[in-house]
Structure formats: structure tokens, C-alpha cells
Amino acid sequence: MDAQFFTAWIEEVARAVGANRDHLTRLDAAIGDADHGSNLDRGFTAVREALSATPGDTPGAVLTLTGTTLIRKVGGASGPLYGTAFRQMGKVLGSGADVSLTDLASALEAALAGVRRLGGAAEGDKTMVDALAPASRALTAAVQDGMKAEEALDAARAAAEQGARATIPLQARKGRASYLGERSIGHQDPGAASTALILTALHAAAGG
Ligand code: ADP
Ligand code: MG
């Protein structure tokens, strides 16, 4: 997987975030402050511009620029968290021109570790971690089982979607939604939903 693959992934994320902007904002209206869709749309629009101005010539460069731009452009909790996730992926992928599925699985593990370190959320706290952690586990397991990229990334996508849906009955323990206490129960976490979109876009970039 080369810089072109990772650029196609990020462009698909930007498209999906734009198409789901109102949906993400509605989820955030229920348990937050109704800005998750607009935050991410602003962020990924800026990322698209940054990548067209300075196309990354390695996977690491593409993801590092993505992360740095998100941190710069997205206020709120999700900007620094997603920014860190993409920057950690970029760091793990380093300066190689072509990376393997095993490298990508390691990069996703680093993304999760970065989000956990910065946000302090564990699984079950009703955050993006509830989609990212199962996706990372699924990808690592798929690589160990010798699956091909399309199939492995489909498993990661499915795990993220299931994880996002599983946030509905949870009570939020981190972020703005936690201020609602028990009233956060019964709504899907917006950040878990956007993480599922990001993993769906990754599968799409692999031809899924
Ligand atoms: P804000 O909450 O500042 O308005 P957003 O609406 O863009 O920011 O993002 C909210 C999402 O961020 C939540 O749905 C949740 O998934 C994620 N989030 C918030 N706090 C944390 C945290 N401490 N750790 C992990 N994810 C978090
Ligand atoms: Mg919000």
C-alpha cells in the first residue's frame, strides 16, 4: 500500500464525512453540542486542501499531514484525538514508500494507544475508543490469520460498526456526553459513529 492508497483513503473519509455531516451532528445534538459533523467536515475539507497543495510522497507523510491539519482546524475533543490518531499512524509507518498490511495493523494499534493516552477513555466509556479498539483487534487478528487486505479491512470495518452500535445502551463516562449521566443512555456516540465511517472508507480504498 503506497501514498496513493492512503491519499485515496483520506479522500474517501472526506467524502463520507461530508455526506454524513448532518447525521453526525444529529447524533451529537442528542448527547453533546451538535457540532461533531461540522467539526469533522471542516477538518477533512482542510485536509483535502492540504493534500492537494502538498501531496504526500509516502504513506507516513500523508497520514502525518492529515493528523496535523485536523489538530490545527478542528476545535473540540475530536480534533486533537483524531489528529493524534493519524499522526501516530504516520509515525509508525515512517518513511517507507510501500507498507504492508502488518504495518497498517501496527499503525492502527498506535492510533488507538494515542487516543487512549490523550483522552484517558477505556472501552465501555461510550467514545470513539469503542469503535477503534475492536477494529484494531480485528485487523491484527485478520493479519495473523493470513487474510488478504480487502477481507482483513472488511473485518475491521465490521468490528468498528458493531462497536459503534454497541455504544447505544452505554452511559457516557468521558467527554461532553458524560455531563448527561444516565440521559446519555439510548443514543449512539457520535465519535464512535465517525470512527466506523473512517474504517468503512479504509475498506473502500482497498476495493471493498
Ligand atoms: P466536542 O465534544 O468537544 O463537541 P466533538 O463533538 O467533535 O467534540 O466530538 C465528540 C466525540 O469525541 C465524542 O462522541 C467521543 O467519541 C469523542 N470523545 C470525547 N471525549 C473523549 C475522550 N476523552 N476519549 C476518547 N474520545 C472522546
Ligand atoms: Mg460536539
Side-chain angles (χ1 to χ4, degrees):
M1 287 168 282
D2 58 7
Q4 204 184 332
F5 171 89
F6 285 92
T7 304
W9 172 29
I10 299 303
E11 275 171 4
E12 176 55 20
V13 173
R15 191 205 60 75
V17 161
N20 288 278
R21 176 194 157 113
D22 293 347
H23 170 63
L24 294 173
T25 287
R26 269 195 302 276
L27 293 178
D28 197 31
I31 58 170
D33 57 353
D35 65 357
H36 190 57
S38 50
N39 278 344
L40 289 191
D41 194 31
R42 185 173 60 254
F44 280 97
T45 298
V47 167
R48 211 186 232 156
E49 286 163 8
L51 284 173
S52 85
T54 322
D57 53 1
T58 62
V62 170
L63 297 181
T64 300
L65 180 58
T66 298
T68 303
T69 306
L70 290 176
I71 290 171
R72 208 154 41 78
K73 288 286 176 179
V74 183
S78 63
L81 289 164
Y82 277 136
T84 297
F86 283 106
R87 282 172 58 94
Q88 288 300 318
M89 293 186 84
K91 195 168 159 189
V92 165
L93 297 180
S95 57
D98 223 299
V99 304
S100 68
L101 195 60
T102 308
D103 297 331
L104 182 53
S106 303
L108 204 60
E109 285 175 3
L112 172 63
V115 168
R116 279 190 170 142
R117 207 160 42 236
L118 181 63
E123 275 181 270
D125 285 350
K126 198 178 180 102
T127 71
M128 60 176 72
V129 169
D130 290 317
L132 192 53
S136 171
R137 271 198 301 276
L139 184 57
T140 298
V143 167
Q144 280 162 3
D145 290 348
M147 278 188 203
K148 293 264 179 292
E150 193 274 325
E151 199 187 353
L153 293 173
D154 193 35
R157 173 205 60 75
E161 283 179 354
Q162 199 190 329
R165 275 195 304 274
T167 63
I168 294 171
L170 297 176
Q171 178 172 335
R173 285 194 292 252
K174 281 282 186 270
R176 211 177 273 281
S178 66
Y179 308 156
L180 291 181
E182 286 180 5
R183 281 184 293 136
S184 64
I185 293 172
H187 305 277
Q188 182 166 183
D189 177 63
S194 58
T195 293
L197 288 180
I198 291 169
L199 271 296
T200 301
L202 183 55
H203 177 229

